[in-house]
Amino acid sequence: MLIEKSNMKTVLVTGSAGFIGFHVCNKFLGEGWRVIGVDCLTDYYDKTLKEDRESLLLASKNYISVHAKIETTGVLKSIFQKEKPQVVIHLAAQAGVRYSVEFPRKYLESNIIGTFELLEAARAHKPKHLLLASTSSVYGANDEMPFKETDKADSQLSFYAATKKSSENMSYYYSHMFDLPVTIFRFFTVYGPWGRPDMALFKFTKAILNNDPIEVYNFGEMKRDFTYIDDLVHSIRLLVDQVPPSEENTNPTSSISLSAAQYRVVNIGNSQPIKLSKFIQAIELALGSKAKKNFLPLQDGDVPETWADNQVLKTLTNYIPETDIRTGVQQFVNWYKEYYQI
């Protein structure tokens, strides 16, 4: 039975029909929250996959779907005003490193203007906690591993990463100026069931099943800190309850008392980089078939390695992602075969 709105906690999730958004919405619905999902179902990849995710969410009476572009002026503000969410999780974005080379305006509109509209809505109708997704790509040309949240991140190698870092900077300003409690997630190569078709696991699985060659960049000399979707969602859920505190700081060169922003950046990753060859082996093992490989140089905008320092996450939540690559890949392959009836 649907619980009265006034007696329920409400979370607003942007990008709700996306890979991560779908799983996040499921998590909160399972805990009895009222979930407002905002998504415009772009055609960046097969819309059927997004529609199928959304149809599963709509099976819950506590899920409300809003089809809208977040960058449209005033749309998010009106949703905030009507629904009054206590928690907001901003996952909507134009994703993809290489796609941003050809279509940068899509990233400008969705990632920067869309985030601006979200921050303006949160400024007008303050949630108890505003959480926004960023990416390990913001570390860019940094070569000191593992990546720490305190590392300087001013050398992004793709327009996608640059827009996400810009979103982080805007969020800090709004947190500081308007007393908004903000947590930024920096995701590290998330994978699992219902994943995006443009990502390596999906593409490799499809190619191997079709007996087509896979494209192996940087001649296989790549490492990624893969994060299984269930671990990521659990981390997000735990961080929702860890609202950044407000602190008073005094500028030693001034008599003015400054209020520090209620702002925090948290890496979410396994902190166990996996070599691309080992990742491919895990897929081959799950499929029971060998891949044909085309070895290619590193693509523009890509980095050879990512590695998350997850000590901040552990300190805040007493949890770190732990799903090993073979288990996670097998779960994806099981889903893929079932979904596509193979």
Side-chain angles (χ1 to χ4, degrees):
M1 186 175 78
L2 180 61
I3 304 172
E4 289 297 323
K5 173 181 173 181
S6 59
N7 295 328
M8 297 186 72
K9 292 182 289 185
T10 297
V11 58
L12 186 149
V13 180
T14 68
S16 53
F19 167 39
I20 297 173
F22 162 71
H23 286 280
V24 168
C25 289
N26 256 336
K27 178 71 170 178
F28 281 90
L29 289 170
E31 293 187 10
W33 286 60
R34 182 170 172 270
V35 178
I36 314 299
V38 181
D39 204 298
C40 66
L41 280 75
T42 68
D43 59 1
Y44 171 60
Y45 60 81
D46 184 9
K47 287 178 66 173
T48 302
L49 191 59
K50 299 179 182 182
E51 291 165 350
D52 288 346
R53 294 184 191 123
E54 187 177 64
S55 67
L56 292 175
L57 297 175
L58 287 167
S60 171
K61 293 181 179 180
N62 291 334
Y63 183 76
I64 297 171
S65 175
V66 180
H67 287 177
K69 287 190 173 183
I70 60 170
E71 60 266 33
T72 303
T73 303
V75 164
L76 286 172
K77 190 175 290 186
S78 66
I79 297 171
F80 274 57
Q81 183 176 19
K82 178 184 177 183
E83 306 296 349
K84 298 177 174 56
Q86 291 100 332
V87 173
V88 176
I89 303 177
H90 180 43
L91 301 169
Q94 178 58 60
V97 169
R98 289 177 285 277
Y99 192 70
S100 69
V101 176
E102 297 181 50
F103 303 100
R105 181 167 290 278
K106 292 180 182 291
Y107 293 76
L108 174 70
E109 292 172 352
S110 181
N111 300 2
I112 295 182
I113 298 175
T115 300
F116 166 74
E117 287 292 328
L118 179 97
L119 292 167
E120 279 289 287
R123 170 188 175 184
H125 308 282
K126 291 183 181 179
K128 293 180 179 178
H129 197 179
L130 174 60
L131 305 101
L132 301 93
S134 187
T135 171
S136 61
S137 295
V138 301
Y139 290 107
N142 287 19
D143 56 9
E144 189 170 323
M145 303 284 177
F147 296 146
K148 297 181 180 180
E149 294 88 345
T150 52
D151 289 347
K152 191 173 181 179
D154 292 332
S155 52
Q156 286 74 50
L157 299 180
S158 68
F159 191 65
Y160 163 65
T163 61
K164 298 302 280 185
K165 187 59 168 65
S166 297
S167 294
E168 290 187 14
N169 293 343
M170 288 192 297
S171 300
Y172 182 87
Y173 164 75
Y174 273 80
S175 176
H176 170 72
M177 184 60 67
F178 304 112
D179 298 320
L180 281 173
V182 171
T183 294
I184 300 289
F185 313 122
R186 287 180 179 166
F187 297 156
F188 283 70
T189 314
V190 187
Y191 72 104
W194 294 99
R196 296 201 331 254
D198 63 316
M199 297 191 73
L201 178 54
F202 203 113
K203 291 163 68 175
F204 288 177
T205 298
K206 181 179 179 180
I208 294 170
L209 286 170
N210 291 339
N211 201 31
D212 294 328
I214 63 173
E215 296 180 336
V216 183
Y217 291 101
N218 202 32
F219 307 102
E221 296 301 314
M222 305 268 281
K223 285 186 178 180
R224 287 291 180 268
D225 197 339
F226 291 96
T227 313
Y228 188 62
I229 185 63
D230 289 358
D231 293 345
L232 180 93
V233 171
H234 187 57
S235 300
I236 290 173
R237 180 62 190 90
L238 293 173
L239 286 167
V240 163
D241 296 329
Q242 298 299 318
V243 182
S246 177
E247 298 177 354
E248 291 293 322
N249 289 339
T250 301
N251 185 337
T253 63
S254 170
S255 60
I256 301 173
S257 179
L258 301 176
S259 179
Q262 290 180 260
Y263 178 90
R264 176 185 287 143
V265 177
V266 184
N267 288 335
I268 304 181
N270 265 42
S271 198
Q272 295 180 15
I274 302 294
K275 195 169 183 179
L276 184 54
S277 58
K278 185 176 179 181
F279 178 60
I280 294 170
Q281 287 171 5
I283 302 171
E284 292 173 328
L285 182 66
L287 291 172
S289 182
K290 286 287 186 180
K292 299 176 181 177
K293 306 179 186 73
N294 283 340
F295 291 94
L296 299 167
L298 187 69
Q299 287 190 302
D300 290 340
D302 252 346
V303 295
E305 183 175 357
T306 62
W307 180 1
D309 184 305
N310 57 20
Q311 287 306 302
V312 172
L313 175 65
K314 184 177 181 180
T315 298
L316 291 170
T317 66
N318 197 31
Y319 173 78
I320 54 174
E322 57 189 3
T323 302
D324 66 272
I325 196 69
R326 284 193 175 184
T327 300
V329 166
Q330 186 67 63
Q331 290 298 319
F332 172 82
V333 167
N334 293 346
W335 166 81
Y336 186 96
K337 288 183 173 180
E338 180 180 357
Y339 182 74
Y340 290 103
Q341 299 179 348
I342 296 172

